[in-house]
Amino acid sequence: MPIKSFEELNKYLGSIPYISNGGCAIAALFQYLWLKENDKGADVKIVYLYNPHNIWKFANNEATLKGKEISYESCSHAVILYNDNHIDCSNENFNIEKDGYSKALEIDCPEFVVKTLNRRDEWNSMFDRDILVPKMEERIGIKINLCDN
C-alpha cells in the first residue's frame, strides 16, 4: 500500500537499516520525488552536504551542474530543503552547521542525483541497495531507476 503522507514516508525511510550510511541520497531522492508528485508546486530541493575533506567532490558536482560535466560524485550526506527546513529521513530540522558540513549544494535535478547514485563505488556499501531499493520502490510507489537495480 503506497505511502499516504510525508510523515509516513519519513518514518518508513528512517526505519530502513543503514539508510544514513550509503542510502541518504536515495532517501532524499524518494522524498523529493514523493513531494513533487503529492504536493503540487512544492518548493523542494535535494541538498548534497560535504565535510571539509570532501570539498573537491563539491567543486566537481557544482561544475557538472553548471554544464562542465567534470564528474558525478557522492556527498558526505544528503537531505532535502522543504518549507525552508533541511530535512533528512530521521531528523525534521537537520542543522547543517551543527553537524560539521562546510559546503552545501542545492539540486533541483533528479537526473543528476541518479547519475551520482549510479557511481556505486562512491557510496558507503553498508546500505544494501540491491535488496533495499526495490523494496523501497514497491512500498513508496515510485521508481527511481538506478541502472544497477
Side-chain angles (χ1 to χ4, degrees):
M1 163 168 159
I3 302 286
K4 300 220 183 299
S5 71
F6 186 60
E7 294 77 19
E8 182 183 354
L9 174 65
N10 284 344
K11 184 176 179 181
Y12 169 69
L13 290 171
S15 74
I16 295 171
Y18 303 108
I19 194 74
S20 291
N21 298 97
C24 58
I26 291 170
L29 182 58
F30 274 118
Q31 289 171 311
Y32 175 92
L33 294 172
W34 191 93
L35 285 166
K36 288 293 188 179
E37 186 175 304
N38 292 282
D39 185 0
K40 302 296 183 203
D43 183 19
V44 60
K45 291 182 176 65
I46 296 170
V47 183
Y48 274 15
L49 304 172
Y50 301 88
N51 291 323
H53 65 276
N54 282 333
I55 295 302
W56 65 274
K57 289 183 176 192
F58 166 81
N60 286 353
N61 279 342
E62 183 179 50
T64 300
L65 276 171
K66 290 180 179 177
K68 295 186 178 161
E69 198 154 328
I70 293 173
S71 63
Y72 296 91
E73 307 288 347
S74 64
C75 57
S76 303
H77 191 51
V79 299
I80 62 167
L81 178 62
Y82 176 55
N83 291 337
D84 297 319
N85 292 312
H86 290 99
I87 302 168
D88 76 3
C89 59
S90 62
N91 189 346
E92 187 69 26
N93 294 307
F94 190 85
N95 187 319
I96 292 172
E97 295 79 23
K98 180 181 163 202
D99 286 319
Y101 298 104
S102 57
K103 292 285 187 181
L105 185 63
E106 292 183 6
I107 304 165
D108 195 15
C109 179
E111 298 80 13
F112 175 86
V113 174
V114 169
K115 286 180 180 181
T116 68
L117 289 169
N118 283 335
R119 293 212 43 215
R120 184 182 197 122
D121 60 322
E122 287 281 308
W123 298 91
N124 189 331
S125 62
M126 287 179 70
F127 177 79
D128 190 346
R129 61 167 63 189
D130 290 333
I131 291 173
L132 295 170
V133 170
K135 289 180 180 181
M136 294 164 73
E137 288 175 328
E138 183 177 340
R139 175 72 175 95
I140 297 168
I142 294 174
K143 293 274 187 200
I144 59 171
N145 300 314
L146 298 182
C147 72
D148 53 5
N149 283 336

